[in-house]
Amino acid sequence: MIKARVRAENPDANLKSYYETYTSFDWQDVKAEFYHTESGAINIVWDSIDKWANDPTTRDNVALIYEKAGVERAYTFNDLKIKSSKWANLLTKYGFKIGHRVFILLPTSPEIYFAMLACARLGLIYSILYPNLSGEELEWRLRDAEPRGIITDNSLVSKLPKTAAENVKHILLVSGPRPGIFRTETELDVVSEHMPEECETRFVSPETSLYLLYTSGSTGPPKGVVHGHRDMYGIYATAKYVLDLSPSSVLWTDGPPAWVTGAVYGTFGPWLCGAASVIQATAFRPGLWYRTLERHSVTNWYTTPLTIRKLMSADSDLVKQYDLTKLKHIATVGETLTPDSFYWIREHLKRSPHDTWWMTETGMICIANFPSQLVKPGSMGRPVPGVQAAIIDGQSQELSILTFGELALKVGWPAMALGIWKDDKRYAAYFKNGWFMTGDMAIKDEEGYYYHMGRNDDMIKIGTNFVGPYDFEQVLRSHMSVSEAAVIATSIDPGPPTIKAFIKLEEGFSASGELKASLIQYLKNNLHCEATEIEIAFVKDLPRTRSGKMLRRVLRAWELGLPSGDPLNLQD
């Protein structure tokens, strides 16, 4: 735990007083800000797109800024209403009804956003897929969800497994020509432009499914996490209070739309607040990232510690070439933001990055550092208003401050997953005595700040206590030769465990027996523990998800000689 404190960056942020807001917060007050029919039916598209498009004062406000290879396209709220209505009319023409599943398999493009809005407008369930999934991974998802349609393009349709995709009634190509692989191929650009610009929004129960997102581990089949239209209450509240959005904001969430962060806060988060969302479809380059912030006058940036580390590895003077004065707030997600990353961003971008924590299953940010509150580098922050968190033991009893245990959330926030597709037993396993068990181990300090210590299966037992790998990794990262570090326990025998550290070296350092011995001694000198056996392995790269989250379970699979799959295809 880091005891440093960094002063609040913006006392005038949307959330001004954490304690006052948290203690008086009521989800019913948030729900009152949204449109409901007399029966209580809602639709997330109405409140995120239509209400702005129907208002003459906001209809022409920019909602989506898309850039790829230097070419930019901007879409207003009215544009998105028209585009999504045309697509919705097209889907209706092909017989799609409430509850049908639609897979969206496309490279990052505006069509992803037209399609997801069209599906949501009709009460369909959409699932955005990574375009680089393998044929085997696509086949599993197709057989599990049984989508009625797949929206793809002629460069990706050949990836679809023939046996599974033959059962899909409509394979809709955003552009021609048709490859002719499947009999159900249709060119959307030929049909969609002739569709009416108006489509009646279907208001549905708040519990109606909205999207299906597959998350997979290194073992076992992927799980399809289902979220509903009611998520909009939680998405809106966190976009407002955590990301500090208002109608004048320009938010860049630089994660892909197939990742839950991009799917939620690259879309509905800003739109529910009337703000613009920036989409950069070109692969990462440090200069491009700075230029994107400058070119689009980004005011709020939601990024990952992995991206920050990539920026840190570039020339530190590069950022000086760009005007980032419009940037007012930076937030991060994906893994713990280390103090060195925190202070680097603070020094070079003149803004403090604010760590946040949530999961695909939670549907929204649940713990965060707020722009109006002091930040403790290394901390996830405090629970967002409307979320009750605690550190609990194996008997579901709340533990006192500074006590190690599992992070749990009291059931009841609106964006909680509706279920796991076709797997009620797996979904039920998340809950225990009214708590949602996150599987993350953490500590809470005396001011209610939480510190992430690792996943429950990452813990290292030393004596009678469990120690998180984060403690070991922090010490190793402080060594001048270490760029990245990941630590696992490799021994299950009684007595002190064998600790193995996987090290990625900084440029200019070479792997050697002498350096191994130096790092082992450095770790022992700076971290008191009973682990007498410490091994060091130098690696070119560490296994991470696309969002940058460390996959220690893959390291354990390597150690045991077990198959681990491609880490980039493991979602969070």
Side-chain angles (χ1 to χ4, degrees):
M1 291 173 56
I2 309 298
K3 287 298 184 180
R5 297 163 176 259
V6 177
R7 64 180 177 81
E9 198 158 75
N10 181 14
D12 294 323
N14 290 327
L15 186 148
K16 293 179 172 56
S17 168
Y18 176 79
Y19 289 108
E20 288 183 13
T21 305
Y22 190 87
T23 55
S24 64
F25 188 88
D26 190 326
W27 283 115
Q28 294 303 320
D29 295 333
V30 175
K31 293 177 182 180
E33 297 186 47
F34 292 85
Y35 177 78
H36 299 76
T37 66
E38 289 185 5
S39 65
I42 62 173
N43 189 296
I44 194 170
V45 177
W46 178 270
D47 282 281
S48 61
I49 300 297
D50 293 359
K51 82 171 183 181
W52 307 108
N54 295 339
D55 186 336
T57 65
T58 56
R59 69 191 305 269
D60 295 323
N61 289 356
V62 173
L64 181 68
I65 302 168
Y66 171 82
E67 182 187 339
K68 183 175 184 180
V71 178
E72 176 186 335
R73 282 183 273 173
Y75 300 89
T76 65
F77 283 101
N78 194 52
D79 291 334
L80 290 186
K81 181 185 177 184
I82 291 173
K83 289 283 188 182
S84 63
S85 293
K86 283 189 169 188
W87 281 57
N89 286 323
L90 186 147
L91 292 172
T92 301
K93 171 184 170 69
Y94 287 116
F96 286 85
K97 301 183 185 301
I98 289 177
H100 282 161
R101 278 78 64 204
V102 178
F103 278 4
I104 303 172
L105 178 66
L106 289 169
T108 302
S109 60
E111 287 76 16
I112 288 179
Y113 304 94
F114 306 156
M116 60 174 282
L117 288 171
C119 291
R121 186 180 293 281
L122 296 177
L124 310 181
I125 307 170
Y126 64 87
S127 182
I128 304 174
L129 305 179
Y130 284 100
N132 59 350
L133 288 175
S134 69
E136 183 181 358
E137 290 166 323
L138 286 170
E139 181 167 7
W140 198 98
R141 288 158 173 76
L142 284 166
R143 294 193 184 284
D144 186 56
E146 301 176 293
R148 179 183 176 85
I150 302 174
I151 298 173
T152 186
D153 65 14
N154 55 12
S155 70
L156 291 173
V157 68
S158 61
K159 293 188 67 174
L160 295 173
K162 284 194 174 183
T163 304
E166 282 291 350
N167 297 321
V168 178
K169 288 190 176 297
H170 298 284
I171 296 177
L172 306 172
L173 307 175
V174 298
S175 60
R178 292 176 52 205
I181 299 173
F182 299 97
R183 57 181 174 77
T184 56
E185 293 171 13
T186 301
E187 293 178 35
L188 283 185
D189 56 351
V190 175
V191 184
S192 62
E193 288 306 311
H194 300 290
M195 291 291 110
E197 294 185 354
E198 293 288 336
C199 178
E200 185 177 353
T201 300
R202 295 180 183 171
F203 290 92
V204 295
S205 161
E207 306 295 318
T208 299
S209 299
L210 172 65
Y211 69 89
L212 170 65
L213 192 62
Y214 281 95
T215 70
S216 49
S218 57
T219 60
K223 55 187 174 184
V225 182
V226 183
H227 280 277
H229 282 256
R230 71 179 189 192
D231 281 30
M232 67 181 184
Y233 308 127
I235 295 170
Y236 167 72
T238 51
K240 178 180 177 181
Y241 287 142
V242 178
L243 302 183
D244 200 38
L245 299 184
S246 64
S248 61
S249 300
V250 178
L251 173 68
W252 181 23
T253 301
D254 61 9
W259 178 36
V260 68
T261 300
V264 171
Y265 293 104
T267 57
F268 296 119
W271 297 338
L272 288 165
C273 296
S277 176
V278 172
I279 305 299
Q280 175 56 262
T282 311
F284 175 87
R285 297 194 313 275
L288 174 63
W289 249 233
Y290 292 135
R291 187 188 63 75
T292 302
L293 292 167
E294 177 189 61
R295 178 175 180 173
H296 301 300
S297 299
V298 173
T299 58
N300 305 65
W301 182 28
Y302 200 18
T303 186
T304 67
L306 177 61
T307 297
I308 291 176
R309 286 195 299 274
K310 289 180 179 179
L311 294 176
M312 292 171 66
S313 66
D315 185 353
S316 295
D317 290 333
L318 181 63
V319 67
K320 297 178 183 178
Q321 302 175 25
Y322 300 89
D323 179 7
L324 305 183
T325 54
K326 296 290 180 63
L327 185 60
K328 303 302 181 186
H329 184 59
I330 302 173
T332 63
V333 69
E335 63 176 330
T336 301
L337 182 67
T338 58
D340 60 330
S341 299
F342 178 93
Y343 286 110
W344 189 92
I345 286 291
R346 184 171 166 81
E347 177 184 355
H348 292 91
L349 274 68
K350 312 305 178 186
R351 288 287 178 268
S352 296
H354 294 69
D355 200 358
T356 68
W357 176 93
W358 59 300
M359 304 167 62
T360 302
E361 292 87 343
T362 69
M364 68 180 212
I365 300 166
C366 289
I367 296 178
N369 290 278
F370 301 88
S372 63
Q373 305 297 303
L374 65 86
V375 176
K376 296 183 180 182
S379 168
M380 299 187 292
R382 291 184 283 193
V384 303
V387 172
Q388 181 183 342
I391 304 297
I392 68 174
D393 63 15
Q395 286 71 48
S396 303
Q397 298 299 310
E398 292 190 43
L399 298 171
S400 58
I401 61 172
L402 305 180
T403 304
F404 184 83
E406 184 170 356
L407 175 63
L409 307 178
K410 183 67 75 172
V411 171
W413 71 98
M416 186 174 70
L418 296 174
I420 303 299
W421 186 258
K422 292 182 179 178
D423 200 338
D424 293 340
K425 184 177 180 181
R426 201 169 181 178
Y427 181 64
Y430 283 105
F431 303 98
K432 189 175 182 180
N433 297 327
W435 292 101
F436 172 85
M437 310 302 296
T438 69
D440 282 344
M441 308 304 286
I443 290 174
K444 180 175 74 171
D445 73 10
E446 65 280 0
E447 292 180 291
Y449 284 76
Y450 286 78
Y451 296 79
H452 189 267
M453 307 303 291
R455 293 291 295 172
N456 53 12
D457 55 357
D458 291 335
M459 294 298 103
I460 301 168
K461 189 173 184 180
I462 298 179
T464 58
N465 299 316
F466 284 92
V467 179
Y470 181 77
D471 295 324
F472 295 91
E473 292 162 1
Q474 276 293 89
V475 172
L476 288 166
R477 286 192 194 110
S478 67
H479 193 279
M480 67 178 67
S481 69
V482 177
S483 171
E484 296 182 54
V487 172
I488 62 171
T490 61
S491 172
I492 59 174
D493 297 328
T498 297
I499 305 302
K500 186 162 186 176
F502 295 82
I503 302 293
K504 179 180 178 180
L505 293 173
E506 290 279 10
E507 289 187 15
F509 289 88
S510 300
S512 67
E514 183 180 355
L515 182 54
K516 279 187 180 181
S518 175
L519 287 170
I520 290 171
Q521 193 58 49
Y522 184 80
L523 184 57
K524 287 183 175 180
N525 290 344
N526 289 277
L527 184 68
H528 174 70
C529 70
E530 301 172 27
T532 55
E533 294 296 325
I534 300 174
E535 298 178 7
I536 299 289
F538 296 112
V539 295
K540 183 178 179 181
D541 286 299
L542 293 170
R544 295 179 179 276
T545 63
R546 290 179 178 87
S547 68
K549 189 173 292 184
M550 186 71 70
L551 288 168
R552 298 182 188 86
R553 60 187 183 274
V554 172
L555 295 176
R556 290 195 293 274
W558 290 354
E559 220 23 50
L560 295 171
L562 299 174
S564 60
D566 180 1
L568 286 182
N569 286 332
L570 300 182
Q571 301 167 37
D572 296 317

